[in-house]
Amino acid sequence: MAKDGILTCYGGMSHVTSCFSREIFLTAENMADEHARKWDRCLADTAVKTVTGLGVGIVVSFIAFKRRAWPLSFGSGLGLGMGYSNCQHDLRSPYLIHGRMVKDQ
Amino acid sequence: MLRACLRGANATARKNYRRIPLTSLQQCRHYTAGEGSSASKVVVAGLLTVSGGIGGTVLYAKWDRLCLCVCVFSLEECNECHEHKEATAVHPAPTEPMKERPVEEVAARLAQQEQEEQDISASVSASLEDSLASSAKATLQAIGAQEAALQAIMQHTDKLKEAMEAEVLPEEKSNQWKDLEAALADRTTALNDARAALSKANESLDSLRSVIDESKGLKISSVRPLVLAAEENLHNMVVDLDKMVMKCFCVLAGKLSTDDLNALIAHAHRRIDQLNRELAEQKVREKIHIDAALEQQKLEDQKALDSAVNTALQHVKEEARLDQERKLAELREVMEAEMRTQLRRQAAAHTDHVQDVLKVQEHELKAEAEQVLSSKMLEQETRYRQLTQEQLDNFTLDMNTAYARLKGVEEAIDSHVVAEDEARKAHQLWLSVEALSYSLKTAEADVPTVPLENAAQAVRDSCRDNDFALALASALPEKSLQRGVYSEASLRARFNSLRSLARRVALIDESRNSLYQYFLSYLQAALLFEKRQEAPPSQLSSEDLDPFKLLSYASYCLEHGDLELAAKLVNQLRGEARRVVEDWLIEARLTLETRQVVNLLSAYANAVGLGTTQAP
């Protein structure tokens, strides 16, 4: 929790209030907190992924592609996209309906 | 008369000479003899007495002149004479013996002595003067008396001479003799007075002598001249007194000379003759007298006889009468006695009869009385029984009423107790509910209340047998019991923070929930401005279901303290906004629920309390 709190504090500026609200309503059942946390997580994740992608791109570009620029952007884009997708999934998760297929055999 | 004179003379002679002539006794005896004895005897006796007396006087006078002194006065006077003779021989007192003393003492003593002597001399002189005066007075008195005696004697002697010499009638002689006797009496009295006075004088002289002796005995020189003067006076007085006495004596003694004696004898003879004559006369007279007396006596005897007879007759008559009366009285008594006995008999018979009648009457009356008594007793008894019964009934009635009342009172008390119990319970409930509602207030800013478990437990305890309250108490949500509820203010604050978030995710719902939508909803939230607070309409229309509107409505409601409406409005949110405010809603619902239950309980407790509380 504290770790999350610190990460999100370093996170987006639009979540200052959520940071504050997190500090006050420090309960697991707090949906607003969850939302904020989600966002924090999302952003953190995205950032990490992007940076990781960038790093991999750099490495790949260094290693395989003779220090070209496109692996960096590719990797960062990759990371960003993964993050974005993750974020979206995370934010969507309450609405996702998990169905089961019932084979009628 | 003659006899009386003779008797007087004899008495005087007796006094004077202390020799009682025998004839006087004889004379007495003769005098006391009866009247019937011969007068001659009496006359002779008288004559003898007279002669004897006179002879005796003469003879005795001749015999002893000196002894007159002794015999005229009493033996005491003789003694006084002797004493008097002795007293003159007394001489003045001896001198005081002198002793050698110291000078000052001597002087003092002399002065004291002088003082004493002066005092004593003064007293002595006074006493001497007094005694002198008294003795002088007495002496003078004695002398006077002696002189008077002398005079009386002289008078007597003259009278005697006169009586003897004078030739007068017998009556006058008798008078003379009477006078003589009187004179003799006077002489006697005078002599007595003189004697008495002399005795007094002697006494005073003796006292004076004694005083003189005393003063002499004191042995004080200054007194001596006084003493001597007193002695001289005394001596003079004594001498005078003696002179007078001697004179008296001489007068008494030398009374009768020879002529006198002869005259006396002649006189005696004459007297005898006279007396003889008188005697004869007397005899004759006597005879006459006797005859007359006899006659008289006879008459008197007759009278006496008559009177005696009369008296005897009267006595007899009287006696007869008395006898008769006595007899009458006796008879009457006897009759009376008989009458009494008869009457007694009758009375006895009467009493017997009366007794019988009384007995019968008694029986009758007793029976009657018994009857009456029994009837009355019966009546009384019945009345008594009635009264007791009445009393008993009354008492029972009273007891019943009392019992009923007691019962009523007991019931009232019990019901009261029950009511009290109910009231107590209601109060307990109320108190516990109050505690619960108070504990609701313990919610501080953004901190939930204390867990309401205890308060709820208290409420449940206080309404064990009250189903309604119990149901209500158990209707409290579990969460509030375990964790407590948030206050409205905290919810309000929270909502305000949530509002912005809800605005931001307003576009997100089940169908639109990509990030792009998120971005759009953020844009919308940033660009769309709505009223902060807007009063919700009484009925929501479809366009009021816009989240922004709803949020403003809810905000308004919250600001105005209507958490319920706010919750309702917030409940209309859909999608992500709804998801975001879900827990707030839950909290709000919890709070509302708890508050509702608590309100209900409070109302109920109030109602019950009101019901049970008795207005004063």
Side-chain angles (χ1 to χ4, degrees), chain B residues 117 143 323 327:
Chain B
E117 278 176 16
I143 290 167
D323 273 338
K327 287 230 175 64

Side-chain angles (χ1 to χ4, degrees), chain B residues 206-235:
Chain B
D206 282 337
S207 66
L208 178 65
R209 207 169 290 128
S210 64
V211 166
I212 289 166
D213 290 337
E214 270 179 34
S215 48
K216 276 190 205 166
L218 287 171
K219 298 172 186 169
I220 299 166
S221 52
S222 59
V223 172
R224 254 185 246 166
L226 292 166
V227 168
L228 282 168
E231 273 189 348
E232 275 180 28
N233 282 331
L234 178 72
H235 178 71

